[in-house]
Amino acid sequence: MTTSSSERGVSLGMPELPAPAYPDDVRARLETDAREIIARYPDSRSALLPLLHLVQAEEGHVTRTGMRFCADVLELTTAEVTAVATFYTMYRRKPSGDYQVGVCTNTLCAVMGGDAIFTELQEHLGVGNGETTDDGKVTLEHIECNAACDFAPVVMVNWEFFDNQTPATAKRLVDDLRAGRPVEPTRGAPLCTFKETARILAGFPDERPGAVEASGGAGPASLVGLRLARGETAPARVVHPREGASQDRDGAPQDRGAHEPSPSEHLSSHDAPQDTSASDPAHPAGPTAEEGE
């Protein structure tokens, strides 16, 4: 007795139909933006990455329709576009939230508490990796190194930095995002939605008043090595954002009063105190001694 493929649970399926096109008004608007992007490059196919950001800004993720549009305007095959869209994790392949909350779980962030943050956020939000909350506000994912190891553990929201996190501050951060309360990154421009971020990544200016000026630069922890290389020998201090306390190079407390950060030392309201490693509460973190001390 033979068994049919359906009885064996095997679906032979049908070839996937071509992706639907954008409505005429949407396509006309996107074509105008696409021409501006393509004009920046001597070879039109070099515009594929920003064009994928452009279509992601339209729907919040890269759809088959968006990939078909990119293929049409660049005279590529949909297979070529799909190969790029599926290679880079910055392009979402399914609907996602207004805020992409990424927890770095690479080596240093992980040992400083990133793994604990990611685990607790999954439980707190009731979602798994790459999943979105029921209200459509937050998509949670673990991400690789963001080149901010001196501020570990780091959480990013729509690619803006939130430094020195703990499970408690990270949970407060996502709660504020879901409630629509103001959230200010440690460094970088003020937050906007993921769609708005995608359009900026496509190469269009951020027209929000003061957003560009607020972008800032490297934080003080990133500049310590540069200052030492220049021969600046002032004692290193560990600044605690909440208490304003500081320590000298040997770890002894110094009574210097509350520290008001300068614009270059901006601290987010969602930054955690930096006095204890989340992975080793019994051993408060102090300044690293120079070699030989």
Side-chain angles (χ1 to χ4, degrees):
M1 177 179 176
T2 59
T3 305
S4 69
S5 61
S6 60
E7 290 173 329
R8 294 195 301 267
V10 177
S11 176
L12 298 179
M14 293 293 290
E16 191 172 37
L17 295 174
Y22 284 122
D24 291 342
D25 59 331
V26 175
R27 183 178 177 92
R29 172 167 48 80
L30 290 177
E31 283 181 342
T32 300
D33 289 339
R35 285 193 293 270
E36 181 177 339
I37 293 172
I38 293 169
R40 303 171 190 158
Y41 299 92
D43 186 340
S44 64
R45 68 182 297 142
S46 299
L48 178 54
L49 295 182
L51 279 179
L52 286 169
H53 283 299
L54 176 66
V55 297
Q56 184 160 252
E58 185 65 30
E59 299 178 82
H61 66 294
V62 177
T63 63
R64 293 175 59 238
T65 296
M67 289 189 283
R68 174 183 170 181
F69 172 82
C70 293
D72 288 346
V73 298
L74 296 177
E75 297 182 350
L76 299 173
T77 66
T78 53
E80 289 174 304
V81 175
T82 301
V84 175
T86 56
F87 180 81
Y88 294 103
T89 58
M90 67 182 73
Y91 301 120
R92 312 303 183 197
R93 298 299 310 283
K94 60 182 181 181
S96 55
D98 293 334
Y99 300 100
Q100 305 283 321
V101 175
V103 182
C104 182
T105 55
N106 214 325
T107 307
L108 187 56
C109 279
V111 300
M112 293 293 287
D115 284 343
I117 291 172
F118 184 62
T119 298
E120 293 209 24
L121 282 184
Q122 288 185 92
E123 181 177 349
H124 183 67
L125 295 171
V127 298
N129 182 42
E131 295 180 352
T132 303
T133 54
D134 292 338
D135 57 9
K137 292 292 186 180
V138 170
T139 297
L140 178 67
E141 64 175 350
H142 72 81
I143 50 179
E144 296 300 324
C145 183
N146 289 285
C149 302
D150 40 357
F151 298 100
V154 171
V155 172
M156 299 197 81
V157 180
N158 293 351
W159 309 119
E160 300 293 353
F161 287 100
F162 290 81
D163 300 329
N164 305 299
Q165 292 294 294
T166 66
T169 59
K171 285 188 284 189
R172 187 172 75 246
L173 170 60
V174 296
D175 286 347
D176 286 347
L177 290 172
R178 298 182 72 184
R181 290 188 284 267
V183 171
E184 189 175 6
T186 310
R187 293 168 285 132
L191 281 184
C192 54
T193 67
F194 183 64
K195 288 183 179 181
E196 293 168 329
T197 301
R199 183 170 176 83
I200 294 169
L201 291 174
F204 293 96
D206 187 344
E207 297 178 346
R208 295 174 297 160
V212 175
E213 292 77 8
S215 295
S222 302
L223 301 175
V224 171
L226 177 61
R227 289 170 178 155
L228 290 174
R230 289 174 173 172
E232 300 176 16
T233 57
R237 295 193 302 156
V238 175
V239 176
H240 302 265
R242 303 297 168 84
E243 295 87 6
S246 62
Q247 298 172 335
D248 63 19
R249 172 173 286 174
D250 296 322
Q254 294 181 329
D255 184 12
R256 302 191 181 183
H259 173 69
E260 293 295 331
S262 68
S264 64
E265 297 177 297
H266 171 72
L267 297 166
S268 167
S269 61
H270 293 82
D271 284 355
Q274 301 175 48
D275 57 346
T276 300
S277 166
S279 62
D280 191 5
H283 296 85
T288 303
E290 290 187 357
E291 185 176 356
E293 292 187 351

